[in-house]
Amino acid sequence: MPPETAPPTSPRPTQILAAAAVGVAAAMLVLRWTAPDNAPFASEETSRGVPAPLPSRPEPEPPPPLPRELSDALDLMAQGRLREAQHLMLGFDASPAARELLPDHRETMNAMLERLGNDPVLQAALEFEGGFEDADLDRLRRALGSLSRDRMIALRRDPRASRHIDDARRLTAEVDAIEGLLGSDRLAALRLAQDFARRHPRFAAGLAFEDRAAEAIEDTAGRLMAANRLEEARTLLLELRSLRGDAAREAPSVDARLASIEAVFQRQSDLDAAIREIEVLGWERPHEALELLAAMNRTPENRRRLAQVESTLKLTLDDLDQGSPTVEILDADGSNLDQVEYDRREDLVLLVRARDDYEVVSVRFFWRWFDREGEGDVVEAVLRPVEPETAAATDDAGDGRTAELRFEATLTRAEHGGRSLQFWAEATDRGGRIARSSDPPNQLTPARRGFLQRLGLRRRQ
């Protein structure tokens, strides 16, 4: 049989009491250690009968308010005025007061700045503002093109951004209008460009609309000058010089083009005056007008006009000079040449008379001797004008003019030698027609002398 195990011993009452006393003492020490210094000590009687109450928890202190700048920025953000809020935040961040912010407030400010920096509406507003600050038209066009309906509504809440949108739209519309006119109405484009430059000088400096319009006007004037449309070209250049003032005078090409046009106009004016004089002369003396016209210098500019005037003068001359001239040989006293003999001992004097319905240009007298031995050479005699002035008279038709010229032809004794003679005259009128006095030619033979005449005892009757 195994030995019996001894039953477990139970604690004694004295041990229990000792343990309790130790626990109470420890609790008192803990309470004393954790209690504030000013807590009242419990009496031994109290501590033995009623436990001490726990101390009350202090009330949390309210956080300090946000600085006024941050509070105002939050209000602006709530109103959609993001650009103003960002300006206010950035200005406050750079101030000395921002360095004294509490950590919570600094964290709030950084969060606000980050939100504003990433806000697409604010970015659009900054694009418009930067476009106007830098006078960058392309940037404004991109900003306008990127606007959605929601972003437009959001930007309209900001008065500054809304004003920038309207200004950008007006600006781009004006630029588009000027660009369109540069290809059609360049003077109108120049006027708009000058008005644009007065209102938007910084944008105009980069676009150079005035210079571009002026160059386009000069190019147009050059093409008009090449097409001989000088009046239109001069009008354009004068308007250009009037609009641009000193800027146009600084461009020598404008004055050079105007000077060349004025030179052409002066030549045309001189030509017009000369042609008027020729035309007036042509009514009475078309052949003289034709001579003056032939002496004028022909150029590509006046060749066609001079040809027209020449054609008109020739028609006028044909109307005035329709008939051929007439020419006759008369006796020295103007009577008809009825004699057939002449005195071989004297010079032979004859009268040549030529007439035409307009004008006799030239008269010529020819003669030669002939006898049984044959014929002599044809000799042209020198004519002496009897009446050098031109006599005008009315012809048979009563509607033309007749010109008459008279000349004396003298054959000396040494020339005719007492031989039989043949002679004739030719007359040429202004139209180039030639007439002859007679065909066959007139003839004269020396007079026969009797015996007494040969002896010198009887005079010739």
Side-chain angles (χ1 to χ4, degrees):
M1 295 285 295
E4 293 180 0
T5 60
T9 60
S10 58
R12 296 177 182 179
T14 58
Q15 294 177 345
I16 295 173
L17 291 175
V22 171
V24 171
M28 291 298 292
L29 288 175
V30 170
L31 291 176
R32 181 69 182 85
W33 180 262
T34 59
D37 295 338
N38 56 358
F41 289 99
S43 61
E44 292 182 1
E45 294 80 7
T46 304
S47 60
R48 290 176 183 175
V50 180
L54 295 175
S56 61
R57 180 175 296 180
E59 294 292 333
E61 296 182 3
L66 287 173
R68 180 178 55 82
E69 290 82 357
L70 297 183
S71 178
D72 292 343
L74 286 173
D75 292 340
L76 291 173
M77 292 173 65
Q79 298 173 18
R81 299 162 63 179
L82 303 180
R83 183 61 179 136
E84 296 180 51
Q86 189 183 47
H87 273 298
L88 182 60
M89 293 286 294
L90 293 175
F92 178 71
D93 187 30
S95 67
R99 292 191 290 272
E100 300 176 0
L101 284 176
L102 296 175
D104 292 343
H105 294 172
R106 165 64 66 178
E107 184 178 355
T108 301
M109 185 181 71
N110 292 336
M112 292 171 62
L113 286 173
E114 183 178 2
R115 178 184 178 280
L116 291 171
N118 297 326
D119 189 278
V121 177
L122 180 58
Q123 292 299 321
L126 288 175
E127 282 297 305
F128 282 108
E129 186 171 337
F132 280 104
E133 288 178 356
D134 300 337
D136 190 343
L137 184 66
D138 293 334
R139 189 174 180 181
L140 293 178
R141 289 187 186 276
R142 288 193 299 269
L144 287 173
S146 65
L147 288 181
S148 62
R149 182 176 181 275
D150 294 339
R151 193 172 297 179
M152 176 69 74
I153 294 174
L155 284 174
R156 286 297 186 185
R157 297 173 185 163
D158 188 340
R160 181 182 179 88
S162 179
R163 186 168 57 254
H164 281 163
I165 292 174
D166 294 336
D167 291 344
R169 283 179 171 174
R170 283 193 294 268
L171 185 69
T172 54
E174 290 182 36
V175 170
D176 292 340
I178 297 173
E179 290 281 2
L181 289 174
L182 282 175
S184 56
D185 191 347
R186 293 166 177 82
L187 283 176
L190 179 57
R191 296 187 185 97
L192 288 181
Q194 289 178 329
D195 180 66
F196 182 85
R198 285 191 293 269
R199 293 182 291 106
H200 310 288
R202 296 176 62 242
F203 283 95
L207 296 172
F209 277 142
E210 287 192 68
D211 294 336
R212 292 166 58 190
E215 291 176 2
I217 291 173
E218 287 194 55
D219 291 341
T220 302
R223 289 193 296 271
L224 291 173
M225 291 173 64
N228 203 28
R229 296 164 61 181
L230 300 181
E231 189 62 41
E232 298 176 56
R234 183 174 67 170
T235 301
L236 271 180
L237 293 173
L238 288 176
E239 188 70 17
L240 171 62
R241 190 167 65 177
S242 173
L243 288 173
R244 300 209 72 193
D246 294 337
R249 284 189 287 272
E250 292 174 359
S253 57
V254 176
D255 289 336
R257 290 179 188 272
L258 283 172
S260 64
I261 292 175
E262 293 299 335
V264 173
F265 283 162
Q266 184 61 47
R267 290 196 298 269
Q268 289 181 348
S269 178
D270 296 341
L271 177 64
D272 291 340
I275 288 179
R276 281 195 297 271
E277 294 179 1
I278 290 174
E279 289 175 339
V280 171
L281 178 63
W283 287 109
E284 297 293 333
R285 310 285 291 173
H287 69 282
E288 296 181 8
L290 284 169
E291 291 174 357
L292 292 177
L293 193 66
M296 295 183 65
N297 185 29
R298 302 294 176 102
T299 63
E301 293 80 10
N302 66 13
R303 183 176 291 111
R304 183 176 180 180
R305 187 174 181 187
L306 293 183
Q308 293 175 346
V309 176
E310 182 179 11
S311 176
T312 302
L313 291 174
K314 287 182 177 180
L315 291 175
T316 303
L317 180 60
D318 291 341
D319 290 339
L320 295 177
D321 187 11
Q322 296 182 355
S324 299
T326 59
V327 60
E328 55 184 341
I329 300 175
L330 306 175
D331 199 356
D333 58 3
S335 60
N336 291 332
L337 187 62
D338 295 332
Q339 67 186 51
V340 293
E341 294 180 349
Y342 73 98
D343 190 346
R344 69 180 65 194
R345 296 173 302 175
E346 298 178 356
D347 296 339
L348 177 61
V349 180
L350 299 173
L351 181 66
V352 180
R353 184 173 66 184
R355 297 168 61 87
D356 186 60
D357 56 350
Y358 177 68
E359 184 180 33
V360 176
V361 176
S362 65
V363 177
R364 305 173 69 183
F365 180 83
F366 303 93
W367 66 274
R368 67 183 175 186
W369 56 263
F370 71 99
D371 53 18
R372 295 176 182 177
E373 298 176 2
E375 298 178 350
D377 296 332
V378 176
V379 179
E380 182 176 358
V382 178
L383 298 177
R384 183 178 64 85
V386 175
E387 296 178 355
E389 69 276 5
T390 301
T394 304
D395 63 4
D396 297 337
D399 57 358
R401 52 176 303 196
T402 302
E404 179 180 301
L405 295 177
R406 296 187 179 188
F407 298 91
E408 279 187 356
T410 301
L411 302 181
T412 64
R413 292 175 59 188
E415 290 176 330
H416 60 69
R419 298 184 178 186
S420 299
L421 303 175
Q422 287 182 340
F423 49 89
W424 65 94
E426 292 180 355
T428 305
D429 65 3
R430 183 57 62 179
R433 303 178 185 89
I434 299 176
R436 196 168 184 177
S437 59
S438 62
D439 194 11
N442 299 87
Q443 294 185 8
L444 285 178
T445 59
R448 294 180 179 272
R449 294 184 299 169
F451 177 75
L452 294 179
Q453 288 178 334
R454 286 196 300 270
L455 293 177
L457 300 176
R458 185 177 178 182
R459 294 182 179 179
R460 182 172 63 89
Q461 298 295 326

